[in-house]
Amino acid sequence: MLEGLLAFPLTPFDADLTLDLSAYAEGVDRHVEDGASAVFLACGTGEFSALSGQEVLALLAAGRDAAAGRVPVWVGAGGSAADARAGIRAAESGGADGVLLLPPYLTAGPPEGTLDYVRYAVAGSSVPVVVYHRGTGLFTPSTAAELVDLPSVVGLKDGLGNVDLMTRIVSAVRARSAAFLFFNGLPTAEVSARAYAAIDVARYSSAVHCFAPEIAMAFYTALHDGDTATTDRLLADFYLPLVALRDETPGFAVSLVKAAARQRGHRVGGVRPPLVEPRQDQLERLDQIVTAGLKAVS
Ligand SMILES: O=C([O-])C(=O)C[C@H](O)[C@@H](O)C(=O)[O-]
């Protein structure tokens, strides 16, 4: 389940920041045509935190139509415990193949509370769920191992980036389940992909696939083939400069992706607040970084 490169479509907005569903359908179709093995709608890159429950459902309907059965369609849920439960149920009724459960809104409890949040959210539904480990939703090795007892929870996606903790989480879960799935969902996941593959977290998602699928697919293939000359070149020429720019401003893990998609001619519009747009000098550097990345794969 969920082999290959996972794509997280951007959510396009009009000039007044309302959803642009026809542009969304184009984006989902582009991901599938460009080699994504599954699409995860309305998650981090898709600005889940800025969307209403109704908007997420509209994106699910448009995304399913656009994917047309060619790849699995997963969708985000999360926020308050009540919204997370309602979101998972609505995703199930709306025909999603699975749900990425994002962290609880605003308040962090202890790890046992995070586990309870997942139990509460998945109660009464059977659609497969992957739990996103980041921010206000953190696990210990022992609480992560208890996820195995929840039949609909099939995996954990790490967005924290603590290799020591993830190594211990993978070991604790593997002692109880060989089938449980692990995903690297760190911002610009390619940068940590080699290290994470070494600790049995080989699946990853690529936000870069939203604007430079040529680069994302070349990196994925090189990583899969053990072609370190290519992964090293793409890291040096493209991913590491991109991450340096990304780290200049909070929220750029999404804003830069949207800006780069616009630069490549895609109809995605701007970001909703609290995200901000890159300045002109940052846009110019972004353009240079993408040009260098495309040259490296040409
Ligand atoms: O929820 C999300 O949007 C993600 O975690 C996906 C991104 O693709 C992330 O892995 C990245 O930036 O490469």
Side-chain angles (χ1 to χ4, degrees):
M1 186 195 265
L2 297 176
E3 304 289 347
L5 190 60
L6 311 174
F8 284 62
L10 291 160
T11 298
F13 298 123
D14 290 335
D16 63 357
L17 296 182
T18 56
L19 285 188
D20 182 343
L21 290 174
S22 74
Y24 193 63
E26 282 173 20
V28 170
D29 178 61
R30 213 166 33 238
H31 277 298
V32 178
E33 290 293 314
D34 289 338
S37 62
V39 286
F40 281 68
L41 314 179
C43 295
T45 308
E47 294 179 70
F48 175 84
S49 59
L51 300 171
S52 71
Q54 286 307 316
E55 288 176 325
V56 172
L57 287 182
L59 293 172
L60 173 59
R64 280 192 69 216
D65 283 351
R70 291 173 291 170
V71 298
V73 174
W74 286 54
V75 67
S80 74
D83 283 347
R85 181 184 278 186
I88 292 176
R89 289 180 181 183
E92 185 165 31
S93 327
D97 295 297
V99 173
L100 180 65
L101 177 60
L102 289 103
Y105 173 64
L106 193 60
T107 301
E112 296 75 19
T114 303
L115 179 61
D116 281 343
Y117 169 77
V118 178
R119 287 193 183 111
Y120 185 91
V122 304
S125 60
S126 57
V127 65
V129 169
V130 167
V131 176
Y132 208 169
H133 178 242
R134 62 183 273 188
T136 52
L138 299 184
F139 288 84
T140 59
S142 60
T143 54
E146 289 194 56
L147 291 172
V148 169
D149 297 325
L150 300 172
S152 65
V153 176
V154 298
L156 183 79
K157 174 172 150 92
D158 185 54
L160 182 66
N162 180 335
V163 174
D164 174 288
L165 175 61
M166 265 318 277
T167 302
R168 288 181 289 125
I169 285 178
V170 170
S171 170
V173 171
R174 281 283 170 264
R176 303 204 49 215
S177 167
F180 198 83
L181 306 174
F182 289 102
F183 302 82
N184 171 3
L186 283 161
T188 325
E190 285 90 343
V191 172
S192 52
R194 256 171 18 196
Y196 265 55
I199 61 164
D200 192 21
V201 185
R203 290 175 173 80
Y204 70 91
S205 43
S206 173
V208 167
H209 200 270
C210 295
F211 64 90
E214 311 90 323
I215 303 172
M217 294 307 301
F219 187 93
Y220 179 83
T221 304
L223 185 70
H224 193 261
D225 294 349
D227 174 3
T228 50
T230 298
T231 52
D232 282 348
R233 191 176 71 248
L234 291 177
L235 284 168
D237 291 358
F238 173 72
Y239 284 103
L240 297 182
L242 180 69
V243 164
L245 180 57
R246 181 201 73 193
D247 287 349
E248 288 181 10
T249 307
F252 265 20
V254 175
S255 303
L256 281 185
V257 173
K258 230 171 186 176
R262 284 196 304 273
Q263 287 177 339
R264 295 212 73 195
H266 303 322
R267 293 195 299 135
V268 292
V271 289
R272 278 187 181 169
L275 300 184
V276 298
E277 298 295 346
R279 298 183 312 262
Q280 188 55 35
D281 66 293
Q282 292 172 319
L283 289 172
E284 283 162 18
R285 278 183 283 150
L286 177 62
D287 187 43
Q288 287 161 7
I289 292 166
V290 175
T291 301
L294 292 171
K295 189 167 166 231
V297 295
S298 66

